[in-house]
Amino acid sequence: VQLHLQLGRLHYIANHSGGQDAAPVLDIVSRVLDAGVPTVQLRCKGCSDRDRYGLAVAVAARCREAGATFIVDDRADIAVASGADGAHVGEDDLPVAEARHILGPAAHLGATARNVAQAVAAVQAGASYVGAGPCYPTSTKEGLPAPIGPNGLASIVRAVAVPVIAIGGIDAARAREALAAGAYGVAVVSAIAAAAAPAAAARRLVAETVAGAAWARA
Ligand code: TZP
Ligand code: MG
């Protein structure tokens, strides 16, 4: 099995902060899975580990039913404990090599890169894909550096042999632009979560990432 064939070209990042009811998170995850989203990443910034684990187990079960790939943001340990398919680490998380050690050789391991040097180092340390961004302006995450744009994205794509997932301010039109720049896929929060009709937005992004990828390869 080639790992990247299961990575998915559209990653929906489900956000949950501690202290809130997790039911709406599970509800939108179910709806985006029904809409055909191939990969879900769970991002729990303010949760206790127990809540993070419990939600990850529930999301893992839904993804398994749907045949989708499930990635845990930030935490390789929670990924293993919940039966996820992988983890995604950033600069404040465990180093890539340590996360790879915890996950084992077969799991997806994404690492955030803002530039070519970070991307190359991440792959050398064991990342199986690179999350590149922010590609475009976004208000979903604070404290981000300036957007790298399609050109920054393309330079990262050229520098590594693993799939590159573009993140930050991606909507359907920008998904197509990111794929044309060589990205394997895109990761989104607000394009789905903040849409008036999340399932419809998810379907549109699914169509755009599949069509856009075919176009980029042609
Ligand atoms: N990392 C870089 S940009 C970003 C994260 C988590 C937020 C992406 O959210 P959106 O709403 O798709 O811009
Ligand atoms: Mg993270």
Side-chain angles (χ1 to χ4, degrees), residues 96-169:
V96 173
E98 297 310 321
R100 173 55 74 198
H101 185 70
I102 289 170
L103 289 163
H108 293 290
L109 175 56
T112 299
R114 316 269 181 229
N115 54 49
V116 165
Q118 289 173 354
V120 169
V123 173
Q124 209 156 18
S128 58
Y129 75 95
V130 168
C135 279
Y136 302 95
T138 177
S139 49
T140 301
K141 183 172 178 173
E142 286 175 5
L144 288 169
I148 63 174
N151 291 339
L153 176 63
S155 67
I156 291 173
V157 169
R158 282 194 299 270
V160 296
V162 299
V164 174
I165 302 293
I167 187 169

Side-chain angles (χ1 to χ4, degrees), residues 5-180:
L5 294 179
Q6 307 165 337
L7 182 61
R9 294 190 187 273
L10 175 61
H11 297 207
Y12 172 62
I13 303 180
N15 254 314
H16 183 57
S17 30
Q20 295 166 309
D21 184 9
V25 180
L26 283 172
D27 180 59
I28 194 164
V29 164
S30 295
R31 288 192 290 139
V32 304
L33 289 171
D34 288 345
V37 171
T39 301
V40 172
Q41 184 185 132
L42 180 63
R43 182 170 182 264
C44 298
K45 288 296 183 189
C47 297
S48 68
D49 276 4
R50 188 65 67 92
D51 287 349
R52 201 173 261 134
Y53 166 73
L55 187 52
V57 168
V59 174
R62 278 172 166 70
C63 287
R64 206 172 298 124
E65 278 167 25
T69 297
F70 175 43
I71 307 272
V72 174
D73 188 34
D74 300 343
R75 298 288 296 269
D77 56 343
I78 304 280
V80 171
S82 65
D85 302 299
H88 184 101
V89 294
E91 59 189 349
D92 297 331
D93 308 319
L94 279 179
V96 173
E98 297 310 321
R100 173 55 74 198
H101 185 70
I102 289 170
L103 289 163
H108 293 290
L109 175 56
T112 299
R114 316 269 181 229
N115 54 49
V116 165
Q118 289 173 354
V120 169
V123 173
Q124 209 156 18
S128 58
Y129 75 95
V130 168
C135 279
Y136 302 95
T138 177
S139 49
T140 301
K141 183 172 178 173
E142 286 175 5
L144 288 169
I148 63 174
N151 291 339
L153 176 63
S155 67
I156 291 173
V157 169
R158 282 194 299 270
V160 296
V162 299
V164 174
I165 302 293
I167 187 169
I170 305 274
D171 59 14
R174 285 164 166 177
R176 182 162 280 241
E177 187 174 58
L179 294 167

